[in-house]
């Protein structure tokens, strides 16, 4: 059945004395009474959103892999990490059901919160804020759905009985619903200084409005919405060293991704919405035992720590919390040639995002017992790497935390050796940074025929990292997508960005050497899950073309 087909426990319409009144357990009738009750339900929405995109499942990586900038480093032609479009984008496979189910769960729970507010005896101010938060979550869920699947069923009321006659709304109708919900949130949520770290503010709503208006072709409204975020006196790109390792060698872009540096309480004025994570804390997602979420370090960092030297002896001490081997990587998610090389060609030595702090392109034998200790392993690529080229490749440091791994993960802290449990990126994760808002407004300006202002916005982002400035005549949608890749890799849901802009198939064919030959035109949308079509016995959930 569709996840939105939920049957809530309600009292039967019988004689008064037959009514059941739950006294020692929660049901929808007694769970939404106080502000604290509603806060608990909102906390669940935060957890659902975070777990969907950063949780334990490999599916949490699939909005990044198999795109123009990341592919399956092991080159497995199967479902894992988009090894095969043909295999994984199948209406009967788990991935297509994963994002459908979890997003509709968020929508269902948000609808319940909104419905129960109508009869709750709490202040009108609290009602408006809670409804704004719930409606923004609903808008964010429909954002995922509309760009992944196209038009989908619109459900904006709490369902209290089974429903099996859903129909797909048009893409435009879904986008307009996102605008309605995000507009309500923009009006009723506090400003960014009025919320705790990790909570939604009115600026997140304006950011979402900017993106959605672009999809609707209303570029003036998109520019206005993005400008609210950019012009807010409490937001600014970080341009000076800051945070937990500010006195260590590095740069300001590197600082953005060190432990403890993502939230406003660290002095960061750039993070607009940040997923909150804690290690070995119930509900914190991250675990020192290796089964937690946010496993970008494990998946992206290459397994170079396993390489022998040319004599066949251990060239490395093992997995280490440093910027040489970068942790305990397993070489699953590699950057495409576009990300590793092409994007930087004109600015290779200037762009801070390609500095040695942020993009690791060297590898040194670190085992003192090796005759090659201190030498570059890359000088012997032909004998120790090429036979298994997935064991080393250039990698982005933003996914790891050198020298900042949790204490319990070290088996030898003096030498920074890590246990097998090291897997996650052990810090909070950006959902939205101000840099993305600038790039959204640049997209809106470009679509509105104003290349000069589009270039100006892009150049704010590029100036911060000492990159050469772009001329107005050079700005295209592809240039903006390239800039998003340079700035937002592992932060944005790249697949959603490409499907939103209609560029997924084109750019995978052009830039992804592993998936280019098999991707088909219809892969620009996910299929509607077969399970949902079959359960909808009294309606018509039309399948997307090609499936």
């Amino acid at each position: 059945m569709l996840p939105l087909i939920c049957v809530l426990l309600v009292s039967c319409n019988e004689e008064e004395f037959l009514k059941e009144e739950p006294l020692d357990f929660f049901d929808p009738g007694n769970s939404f009474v106080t502000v604290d009750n509603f806060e608990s339900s909102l906390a669940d929405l935060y957890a659902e959103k975070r777990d969907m995109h950063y949780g334990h499942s490999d599916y949490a990586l699939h909005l990044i892999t198999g795109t123009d900038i990341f592919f399956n480093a092991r080159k497995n032609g199967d479902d894992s990490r988009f090894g095969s479009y043909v295999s994984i984008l199948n209406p009967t496979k788990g991935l297509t059901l994963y994002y459908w189910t979890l997003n509709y769960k968020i929508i269902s729970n948000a609808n319940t919160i909104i419905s129960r507010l109508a009869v709750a005896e709490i202040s009108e101010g609290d009602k408006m804020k809670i409804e704004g938060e719930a409606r923004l979550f609903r808008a964010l869920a429909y954002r995922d759905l509309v760009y992944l699947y196209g038009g989908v069923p619109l459900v904006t009321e709490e369902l209290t009985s089974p429903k099996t006659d859903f129909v797909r709304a048009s893409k435009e109708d879904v986008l307009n619903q996102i605008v309605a919900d995000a507009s309500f949130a923009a009006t009723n949520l506090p400003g960014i200084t009025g919320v705790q770290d990790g909570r939604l503010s009115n600026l997140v709503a304006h950011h979402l409005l900017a993106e959605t208006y672009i999809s609707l072709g209303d570029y003036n409204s998109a520019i206005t919405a993005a400008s609210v975020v950019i012009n807010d006196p409490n937001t600014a790109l970080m341009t000076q060293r800051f945070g937990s390792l500010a006195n260590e060698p590095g740069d300001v872009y590197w600082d953005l991704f060190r432990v403890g540096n993502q939230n406003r309480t660290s002095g960061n004025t750039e993070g607009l919405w940040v997923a909150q994570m804690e290690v070995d804390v119930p509900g914190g997602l991250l675990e020192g035992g290796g089964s937690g979420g946010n496993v970008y370090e494990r998946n992206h960092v290459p397994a170079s720590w396993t390489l022998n030297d040319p004599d066949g002896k251990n060239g490395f001490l093992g997995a280490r919390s440093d910027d040489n081997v970068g942790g305990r990587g397993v070489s699953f998610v590699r950057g495409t040639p576009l990300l590793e090389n092409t994007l930087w060609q004109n600015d290779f030595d200037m762009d801070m995002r390609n500095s040695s702090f942020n993009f690791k392109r060297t590898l040194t034998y670190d085992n003192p017992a090796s005759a090659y200790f201190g030498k570059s392993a890359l000088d012997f690529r032909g004998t120790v790497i090429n036979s298994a080229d997935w064991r080393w490749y250039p990698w982005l440091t933003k996914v790891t935390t050198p020298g900042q791994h949790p204490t319990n993960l070290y088996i030898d802290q003096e030498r920074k050796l890590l246990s097998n449990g090291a897997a996650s990126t052990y810090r909070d994760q950006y959902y939205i940074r101000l840099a993305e808002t600038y790039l959204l407004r640049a997209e809106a300006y470009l679509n509105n025929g104003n290349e000069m202002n589009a270039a100006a916005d892009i150049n704010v982002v590029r100036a911060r990292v000492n990159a050469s400035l772009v001329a107005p005549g050079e700005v295209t949608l592809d240039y903006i997508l390239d800039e998003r890749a340079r700035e937002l890799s592992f932060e944005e849901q790249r697949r959603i960005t490409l499907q939103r802009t209609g560029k997924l198939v084109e750019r995978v064919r052009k830039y992804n050497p592993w998936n280019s030959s098999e991707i088909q035109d219809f892969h620009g949308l996910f299929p509607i899950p077969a399970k949902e079509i079959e359960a909808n016995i009294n309606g018509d959930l039309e399948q997307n073309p090609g499936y």
Side-chain angles (χ1 to χ4, degrees):
M1 302 291 285
L2 282 164
L4 42 130
I5 305 174
C6 58
V7 183
L8 300 178
L9 297 176
V10 294
S11 300
C12 58
N13 188 20
E14 298 289 342
E15 299 293 333
E16 187 69 24
F17 70 93
L18 289 177
K19 288 185 179 179
E20 295 182 4
E21 184 177 351
L23 300 176
D24 58 355
F25 64 90
F26 290 112
D27 82 340
N30 67 8
S31 299
F32 297 95
V33 178
T34 67
V35 170
D36 285 345
N37 293 153
F38 285 100
E39 287 289 332
S40 295
S41 296
L42 289 171
D44 187 57
L45 292 179
Y46 281 96
E48 289 169 358
K49 179 67 174 176
R50 182 196 62 186
D51 292 357
M52 177 168 56
H53 292 302
Y54 303 113
H56 300 236
S57 172
D58 275 351
Y59 292 146
L61 293 167
H62 282 65
L63 297 187
I64 295 174
T65 53
T67 63
D68 58 339
I69 59 174
F70 291 112
F71 72 107
N72 185 324
R74 301 289 188 99
K75 300 180 181 177
N76 298 326
D78 56 21
D79 292 1
S80 59
R81 293 163 288 280
F82 261 88
S84 169
Y85 267 82
V86 174
S87 176
I88 198 167
L89 284 191
N90 182 309
T92 65
K93 291 296 182 72
L95 173 66
T96 58
L97 189 62
Y98 177 83
Y99 284 104
W100 182 281
T101 300
L102 295 184
N103 277 298
Y104 270 118
K105 182 179 180 183
I106 290 173
I107 291 166
S108 177
N109 291 348
N111 286 342
T112 299
I113 292 171
I114 295 165
S115 172
R116 301 294 162 150
L117 278 170
V119 295
E121 295 183 359
I122 61 177
S123 72
E124 285 303 308
D126 285 333
K127 283 185 178 181
M128 292 297 100
K129 177 181 175 298
I130 292 167
E131 182 175 350
E133 218 160 345
R135 289 185 66 169
L136 188 48
F137 270 111
R138 186 169 69 186
L140 289 162
Y142 274 122
R143 171 196 182 262
D144 284 3
L145 289 167
V146 75
Y147 296 131
L148 290 176
Y149 301 92
V152 294
L154 273 177
V155 183
T156 57
E157 302 290 339
E158 179 185 12
L159 298 178
T160 58
S161 61
K163 181 176 173 62
T164 58
D165 60 350
F166 292 100
V167 295
R168 296 180 65 174
S170 69
K171 178 180 178 180
E172 184 177 5
D173 285 344
V174 178
L175 292 171
N176 282 324
Q177 181 62 50
I178 295 171
V179 168
D181 283 341
S183 296
F184 184 93
T187 300
N188 291 285
L189 287 181
I192 196 166
T193 60
V195 299
Q196 296 176 322
D197 287 341
R199 293 204 73 156
L200 293 168
S201 72
N202 65 348
L203 296 189
V204 177
H206 284 290
H207 178 97
L208 178 58
L209 282 169
E211 181 187 79
T212 310
Y213 280 129
I214 291 173
S215 295
L216 286 167
D218 186 352
Y219 306 125
N220 286 327
S221 293
I223 292 164
T224 298
S227 297
V228 171
V229 182
I230 292 168
N231 296 336
D232 189 289
N234 300 296
T235 67
L237 296 186
M238 300 300 294
T239 57
Q240 302 295 324
R241 297 295 307 278
F242 75 101
S244 59
L245 297 180
N247 294 324
E248 299 292 324
D251 54 47
V252 67
Y253 190 79
W254 184 78
D255 286 337
L256 287 169
F257 306 102
R258 300 311 105 211
V259 173
N261 287 9
Q262 289 69 56
N263 295 297
R264 294 188 66 82
T265 49
S266 70
N268 187 334
T269 56
E270 185 168 341
L272 300 180
W273 188 28
V274 179
Q276 304 296 295
M277 304 182 191
E278 299 291 340
V279 182
D280 293 332
V281 172
L285 189 68
L286 305 179
E287 297 177 15
S291 60
N294 201 23
V295 289
Y296 288 154
E297 177 183 292
R298 166 183 164 82
N299 282 279
H300 175 56
V301 175
S304 54
W305 55 277
T306 65
L307 288 169
N308 290 332
D309 65 22
D311 294 338
K313 298 179 180 180
N314 292 335
F316 296 88
L317 288 172
R320 297 181 74 184
S321 180
D322 64 9
D323 62 0
N324 185 39
V325 298
R328 194 180 183 280
V330 294
S331 304
F332 282 158
V333 177
R334 179 175 182 172
T336 64
L338 174 70
L339 183 64
E340 288 184 0
N341 295 304
T342 307
L343 289 177
W344 315 101
Q345 286 179 353
N346 295 330
D347 254 350
F348 199 92
D349 296 323
M350 293 176 57
D351 195 322
M352 187 185 297
R353 297 165 299 191
N354 191 45
S355 75
S356 61
F357 299 111
N358 297 306
F359 216 138
K360 299 307 297 184
R361 299 177 181 274
T362 59
L363 180 64
T364 303
Y365 287 119
D366 66 8
N367 186 355
S370 169
Y372 296 83
F373 176 69
K375 295 182 179 180
S376 169
L378 304 186
D379 290 343
F380 308 95
R381 182 191 300 266
T383 56
V384 300
I385 295 177
N386 284 356
S387 59
D389 63 0
W390 52 266
R391 290 185 184 271
W392 184 84
Y393 45 77
W395 54 277
L396 296 164
T397 67
K398 62 163 62 175
V399 302
T400 192
T401 52
Q404 294 186 304
H405 282 80
T407 302
N408 65 316
L409 290 179
Y410 291 97
I411 56 175
D412 183 337
Q413 192 155 9
E414 182 177 353
R415 296 194 295 176
K416 298 182 180 180
L417 292 175
L418 295 168
S419 71
N420 290 344
S424 299
T425 300
Y426 295 96
R427 60 164 176 80
D428 296 336
Q429 186 77 19
Y430 296 107
Y431 285 122
I432 304 172
R433 273 197 297 123
L434 182 62
E436 182 181 6
T437 316
Y438 273 103
L439 296 179
L440 273 180
R441 192 170 71 173
E443 187 180 339
Y445 275 129
L446 174 66
N447 290 338
N448 213 31
N450 191 334
E451 292 87 353
M452 183 172 293
N453 279 350
D457 275 347
I458 295 169
N459 286 334
V460 172
V461 176
R462 291 182 62 77
R464 185 262 295 275
V465 293
N466 298 324
S468 58
L469 304 185
V470 63
E474 298 173 312
V475 178
T476 63
L477 178 56
D478 281 307
Y479 186 93
I480 292 172
L481 291 173
D482 287 351
E483 187 64 19
R484 290 180 70 102
R486 285 183 281 259
E487 180 70 26
L488 301 170
S489 55
F490 282 115
E491 299 175 67
E492 71 167 336
Q493 298 155 352
R494 185 65 173 183
R495 181 170 302 280
I496 287 182
T497 296
L498 295 179
Q499 294 191 195
R500 173 180 69 81
T501 56
K503 284 284 191 173
L504 176 75
V505 176
E506 174 190 334
R507 288 180 66 96
V508 168
R509 284 176 175 158
K510 186 174 182 179
Y511 297 120
N512 181 327
W514 179 248
N515 298 116
S516 60
S517 63
E518 57 152 8
I519 191 170
Q520 303 297 310
D521 289 346
F522 60 83
H523 287 145
L525 288 176
F526 278 15
I528 305 299
K531 182 178 179 181
E532 305 304 322
I533 294 175
E534 293 166 1
N536 196 54
I537 57 176
N538 295 310
D540 181 17
L541 280 180
E542 183 180 356
Q543 184 57 275
N544 280 327
Y547 297 104

